[in-house]
Coordinates of all heavy atoms in Angstrom, one line a residue:
G350 N 12.4 3.8 -4.5 CA 12.3 3.4 -3.1 C 11.6 4.6 -2.4 O 11.3 4.3 -1.1
H351 N 11.5 5.7 -2.9 CA 10.8 6.8 -2.1 C 10.4 7.9 -3.1 O 11.0 8.0 -4.1 CB 12.0 7.4 -1.1 CG 11.4 8.3 -0.1 ND1 10.8 7.6 1.0 CD2 11.5 9.6 0.3 CE1 10.4 8.6 2.0 NE2 10.9 9.7 1.5
V352 N 9.4 8.7 -2.7 CA 8.9 9.7 -3.6 C 8.8 11.0 -2.7 O 8.3 11.0 -1.6 CB 7.5 9.3 -4.1 CG1 7.0 10.5 -4.9 CG2 7.7 8.1 -5.2
H353 N 9.4 12.0 -3.3 CA 9.1 13.4 -2.7 C 7.9 14.1 -3.5 O 7.9 14.2 -4.7 CB 10.4 14.2 -2.8 CG 11.2 14.0 -1.5 ND1 12.6 14.4 -1.5 CD2 10.9 13.4 -0.4 CE1 13.1 14.0 -0.4 NE2 12.1 13.4 0.3
F354 N 6.9 14.4 -2.7 CA 5.7 14.9 -3.2 C 5.7 16.5 -3.2 O 5.6 17.2 -2.1 CB 4.6 14.4 -2.3 CG 3.2 14.3 -2.8 CD1 2.9 14.1 -4.2 CD2 2.1 14.7 -1.9 CE1 1.6 14.1 -4.6 CE2 0.8 14.6 -2.4 CZ 0.5 14.3 -3.6
A355 N 5.8 17.2 -4.4 CA 5.8 18.6 -4.4 C 5.3 19.1 -5.8 O 5.6 18.2 -6.6 CB 7.2 19.3 -4.1
D356 N 4.6 20.1 -6.0 CA 4.3 20.5 -7.3 C 5.4 21.2 -8.1 O 6.5 21.3 -7.6 CB 3.0 21.4 -7.2 CG 2.0 21.3 -8.3 OD1 2.5 21.2 -9.4 OD2 0.8 21.2 -8.0
S357 N 5.1 21.6 -9.3 CA 6.1 22.2 -10.2 C 6.9 23.3 -9.6 O 8.0 23.5 -10.0 CB 5.4 22.7 -11.5 OG 4.4 23.6 -11.2
N358 N 6.3 24.1 -8.8 CA 6.9 25.3 -8.2 C 7.4 25.0 -6.7 O 7.8 25.9 -6.0 CB 6.0 26.5 -8.1 CG 4.5 26.0 -7.6 OD1 4.5 24.9 -7.2 ND2 3.6 26.8 -7.7
R359 N 7.5 23.7 -6.4 CA 7.8 23.2 -5.1 C 6.9 23.5 -3.9 O 7.1 23.6 -2.8 CB 9.1 23.6 -4.7 CG 9.9 22.4 -4.0 CD 11.3 22.4 -3.9 NE 11.8 21.1 -3.7 CZ 13.2 20.8 -3.5 NH1 14.0 21.7 -3.5 NH2 13.6 19.6 -3.4
K360 N 5.7 24.2 -4.4 CA 4.6 24.4 -3.3 C 3.9 23.0 -3.2 O 4.2 22.0 -3.9 CB 3.5 25.2 -3.8 CG 4.2 26.8 -3.8 CD 3.0 27.8 -4.2 CE 3.6 29.2 -4.3 NZ 2.5 30.2 -4.4
P361 N 3.1 22.9 -2.1 CA 2.3 21.6 -1.9 C 1.6 21.1 -3.1 O 1.1 22.0 -3.9 CB 1.4 21.9 -0.8 CG 2.1 22.9 -0.1 CD 2.7 23.8 -1.0

Side-chain angles (χ1 to χ4, degrees):
H351 199 70
V352 173
H353 275 161
F354 198 42
D356 214 315
S357 53
N358 47 10
R359 220 168 201 182
K360 288 185 180 181

